Amino acid sequence: MAKIWRNSVHLCIEVSLLYFFIVLSYMHTSMLPPIVGLIVPTLVTIIIYSVISANLQVQTLVLIVFIAPLIAMISFFLGYGYVLSFVIGGFLSWRGFVLFVQDRPFF
């Protein structure tokens, strides 16, 4: 359980850095990007990868390919564009796999 919390905190820190760069890309508009479109996919990523790492002993990179479009659809439906939602989906899926399945934090 402590490993899940530690990895969740690492993922949230990395997502806050991702949100900072997303805000920089929205500087030319008068609105901020939707934060819900990043929080909900992050929670879904934490839930999916913690269940996968606890129940299934699968450690292949194919998981990223299957989970990234799901995360991208969630962020698209919550207000991001196509390209940015696929960037968010790919980033969250990749970092969730590395943190939860391979247990290698970035820092």
Side-chain angles (χ1 to χ4, degrees), residues 28-91:
H28 65 282
T29 64
S30 62
M31 298 184 325
L32 287 174
I35 189 74
V36 176
L38 204 58
I39 290 175
V40 173
T42 303
L43 293 175
V44 170
T45 303
I46 290 171
I47 291 168
I48 288 174
Y49 278 113
S50 62
V51 167
I52 285 174
S53 68
N55 295 336
L56 301 175
Q57 298 302 324
V58 179
Q59 292 190 357
T60 62
L61 295 174
V62 177
L63 289 174
I64 296 173
V65 175
F66 289 126
I67 295 174
L70 174 71
I71 307 283
M73 283 192 318
I74 293 171
S75 62
F76 176 72
F77 290 138
L78 291 175
Y80 285 105
Y82 289 119
V83 175
L84 196 53
S85 65
F86 278 109
V87 168
I88 291 170
F91 177 80

